[in-house]
Amino acid sequence: MTAFPSPMRLLRSALVLLFPLFVAALRAAPAPSVDERVRDLLSRMTLEEKVGQLVQYSSREDMTGPASESSVTPQLEKGEVGSMLNVIGAAETRRWQKIAVEHSRLHIPLLFGLDVIHGYRTLFPIPLASASSWDMARIEQAEHVAAIEAAAAGIHWTFAPMVDIARDPRWGRIAESAGEDTFLGSAVARARVRGFQGDGSFGGTDRVLACAKHFAAYGAAQAGRDYFTTDVTERQLREVYLPPFRAAKEAGVATFMAAFNDLDGTPCSSNPFLLDRVLRGEWGFKGFVVSDWGSIEELRAHGNVADIRDAALKAFNAGLDMDMENGAFGPHVAEFVRAGKISQARLDQAVGAILAAKFRLGLFDDPYRFCDEARQEALLLNPQHLELARDLARRSCVLLKNKLDVLPLKASGLKVALVGPLADAPLDQVGTWHAKVDKKDTVTVRAALAQLYGADLHYARGCETQGDDRSGFAAARAAAAASDIVIAALGEDVFQSGESTSRTSLDFSGQQIALLEELHRAGKPIVLLVMAGRPLLLEKIEPLVDAILVPWHPGTMGGPAIADVLTGAHNPAGKLPVSWPRSVGQVPLFYAHKNSGRPEPLKPKDPYFSRYIDSPSTPQYPFGFGLSYTTFVYDRIRVSAPTLRDGGTLTVTAWVRNAGKRAGEEIVQFYVRDRVGSVTRPVRELKGFQKIELAAGEAREVSFQLAPADLAFWRADMSFGWEPGDFDVFIGPDATSTLTASFKLEEASAVAAN
Ligand code: GLC
């Protein structure tokens, strides 16, 4: 009789037979998604651990030396801290990460954030400068380098791009912006997010989370005063200030930062219209929102809450997810959840978004993958990065004046006086928010020109950017007397630009104007370099100089970049991203203004029109303006059809010719005017731009496409859409271009009726 195998034998045989199938099934089974991993982790977290993820502390490293571990370590070990900022370097971030991962119950890694605004160790031009290049590819490339260097130093998350529209240069943070225009600002926002995040897969260690800030309308601060009230209409908010944030969201930006200011009476950090209705409801944003430093606690100063408990409740329920340095969410959110004042769903939404960011970065698989000292050593400040910084800096230079072609200079055999407080200023030259800069890395204007002119370069500082001291004037006069030409590097020092540096005057500060007047008396040609974080007034000093070049604050390689432009090794093509005011009395000043009922007539018959009695109302230099060492002629504009219909597109073309003797790049700009709307419309709006390179004598036809959707706006009933009617189009070198054509926008029904 055959003995039946024992159950154990049967089971063993089954396992042997099935195991390969099991392995194959495992291999075939997709890895759990980020959402599945988040849900699983949330299900295992205590309320306190969840609240811990909402808390971000700053290292004290940037202020008082090595981070004070005593205050944070116990909370780290209990898993009650989710993120830190200002912890810098592969070794330092590894040290903190070990505490969080090895000592906390669920080993949830920290997220390390830092303001990498225009570079980490290799500093690129400030954002206002790089926006002057209108070169989206190179802006994206620069942010990728910034991400490579920051990630090599253990940083996971940059608090950039700042996408605030800035129309008031009294506001020092205009330096961090892409200027006044919504279309250009949106293009720059997309490029910067792509540079930091790539396609958002974060597979490598060369990308970091980006952060669209400061949400929203922070640049509309009344009187140009930082942190001050903003009171814009919903229409202006949606037409002007929100689009660059929407562009960042569409580009996949992982996080947002709420702004300090109150907007129409509600602080942005507790503003459900912004954080919930617009950001999540209308735009479908799935990432997380961090406060701007103590902006939750500041709800008390705003007078919006009575105490920090209320601030925590109001901000969290409005849609703010992470508490940067307030001490608000950590102590209070759990009690509100237990009391039912914060829903479990809202808590899990916030915590889930933060955990998802950590999963996407691969931090749960390897919490130390960004803390690699060897990679940090190899990547920071490498020659390729420096060359990219030099290239973007020269492309960011805007030439405003070049009388009698005094530029470009001969690259040798010329006696050059270099004068001014920005000529040899390694920290001022890199500008605000300079992350991990080491000023010994900066190549100054003086160092670059000394390489070219050697003993023929006569340097004298002349004066400081601030103060009354003129004792350096004599040396400056002597340098000018000994030279064929004077280069005056004037502008702002690093403490006059960026956060909390609003100014009531836009004049060159200290004794800089007096120095220029002194140099003018020497009777030599003068080239003025404006090295600042905002447009400074030129109307009075423009007659004293023969050329004006604006490198802004050009970063680590600003010196060689400026030398490249001054000597013609690079033909400047930068264009202003802001209107350049004649006086501070004009601001806020921008080209896309309304016409008013009394616009300035071509031939005024009487004084009763919108004007000043003591100044023209036009800018000193218009938005989009910038000269070249060659000249470009625009003509033959035409539209592909007299009518644009719903569902159709219209092509607008024009010819651009290089009428000069050398090749050059030109940023061709395309503007549109909606003549009549259910609400008043700007006199023109940028709707496209192209950077083209033309050889001497070469001409090329450029074209721009328009569809009805490109002409949509927030109409009288606050619906978003276009309206039929007559439109003008302009193609030219800046916002005052007069080469124009027109077309009619019709609805399909109108066509049927014809
Ligand atoms: C600052 C700035 C913000 C920055 C944050 C962290 O106050 O407003 O832009 O990202 O704090 O440093």
Side-chain angles (χ1 to χ4, degrees), residues 176-253:
E176 303 169 52
S177 79
E180 71 181 60
D181 183 67
T182 300
F183 186 91
L184 179 61
S186 299
V188 171
R190 282 188 288 272
R192 297 189 69 195
V193 169
R194 281 195 307 266
F196 286 128
Q197 297 191 167
D199 63 7
S201 58
F202 298 109
T205 50
D206 63 337
R207 304 288 184 178
V208 294
L209 302 175
C211 180
K213 72 182 187 182
H214 306 79
F215 195 52
Y218 180 30
Q222 285 176 354
R225 271 174 57 191
D226 204 357
Y227 314 121
F228 212 33
T229 301
T230 60
D231 237 338
V232 295
T233 63
E234 182 182 343
R235 173 171 287 106
Q236 201 183 25
L237 178 71
R238 289 182 177 279
E239 287 281 350
V240 177
Y241 295 98
L242 291 185
F245 286 97
R246 178 73 186 268
K249 187 273 168 188
E250 298 308 329
V253 73

Side-chain angles (χ1 to χ4, degrees), residues 298-366:
E298 290 168 16
L299 298 182
R300 287 193 298 182
H302 277 293
N304 194 236
V305 295
D307 58 36
I308 195 155
R309 281 181 78 254
D310 290 353
L313 179 63
K314 197 158 198 176
F316 192 76
N317 277 341
L320 195 75
D321 303 303
M322 184 181 278
D323 168 351
M324 178 195 286
E325 272 290 331
N326 288 277
F329 288 179
H332 300 296
V333 166
E335 71 175 274
F336 286 127
V337 173
R338 290 196 182 92
K341 292 188 173 180
I342 290 177
S343 70
Q344 191 64 48
R346 169 64 189 121
L347 176 65
D348 286 353
Q349 175 200 38
V351 178
I354 293 163
L355 294 176
K358 297 181 180 183
F359 277 114
R360 287 175 65 193
L361 284 169
L363 294 178
F364 280 94
D365 304 320
D366 176 2

Side-chain angles (χ1 to χ4, degrees), residues 401-635:
K401 178 179 183 181
N402 190 18
K403 187 174 141 193
L404 302 177
D405 290 344
V406 67
L407 292 177
L409 306 175
K410 289 186 295 186
S412 61
L414 190 67
K415 292 183 177 59
V416 177
L418 175 62
V419 182
L422 274 293
D424 196 19
L427 187 60
D428 300 329
Q429 178 176 308
V430 297
T432 185
W433 290 113
H434 38 261
K436 189 65 180 170
V437 75
D438 182 335
K439 61 184 191 178
K440 71 172 174 33
D441 302 325
T442 305
V443 186
T444 65
V445 182
R446 181 184 184 187
L449 294 182
Q451 273 219 317
L452 285 175
Y453 298 104
D456 284 340
L457 182 73
H458 304 283
Y459 167 72
R461 192 172 179 85
C463 68
E464 298 307 321
T465 49
Q466 304 185 57
D468 302 329
D469 182 4
R470 296 191 178 189
S471 60
F473 278 28
R477 267 199 307 275
S483 303
D484 305 315
I485 191 163
V486 177
I487 297 173
L490 309 179
E492 289 182 314
D493 65 48
V494 69
F495 304 104
Q496 292 177 297
S497 173
E499 183 173 354
S500 193
T501 63
S502 294
R503 295 175 61 181
T504 59
S505 161
L506 296 175
D507 280 320
F508 287 83
S509 53
Q511 303 307 310
Q512 297 184 89
I513 295 176
L515 176 65
L516 206 53
E517 288 163 343
E518 189 75 24
L519 291 167
H520 179 65
R521 283 190 278 275
K524 303 290 175 65
I526 299 176
V527 175
L528 172 62
L529 301 179
V530 182
M531 297 174 73
R534 73 185 94 201
L536 298 176
L537 301 185
L538 289 168
E539 192 171 52
K540 295 192 190 76
I541 55 180
E542 186 270 343
L544 304 178
V545 301
D546 301 83
I548 302 172
L549 183 71
V550 184
W552 309 100
H553 282 143
T556 303
M557 296 298 283
I562 291 168
D564 291 343
V565 174
L566 291 176
T567 60
H570 175 82
N571 183 359
K575 299 270 187 174
L576 292 178
V578 286
S579 305
W580 198 286
R582 299 170 189 276
S583 75
V584 73
Q586 289 182 293
V587 299
L589 177 67
F590 49 95
Y591 82 89
H593 58 76
K594 302 299 184 69
N595 205 29
S596 85
R598 294 198 174 189
E600 180 157 1
L602 288 178
K603 295 189 178 62
K605 292 194 305 300
D606 60 44
Y608 302 106
F609 59 87
S610 180
R611 66 174 184 134
Y612 300 103
I613 61 172
D614 57 356
S615 164
S617 52
T618 53
Q620 171 89 13
Y621 302 102
F623 173 86
F625 180 81
L627 298 174
S628 166
Y629 292 150
T630 184
T631 49
F632 295 99
V633 176
Y634 288 72
D635 60 19

Side-chain angles (χ1 to χ4, degrees), residues 85 115 159 173 213-214 257 260 292 324 433 499:
L85 73 150
D115 291 284
F159 304 124
R173 303 199 78 165
K213 72 182 187 182
H214 306 79
M257 179 183 286
F260 286 120
D292 186 349
M324 178 195 286
W433 290 113
E499 183 173 354

Side-chain angles (χ1 to χ4, degrees), residues 688-699:
F689 58 88
Q690 290 175 36
K691 185 185 268 195
I692 60 173
E693 179 159 16
L694 295 177
E698 183 186 359

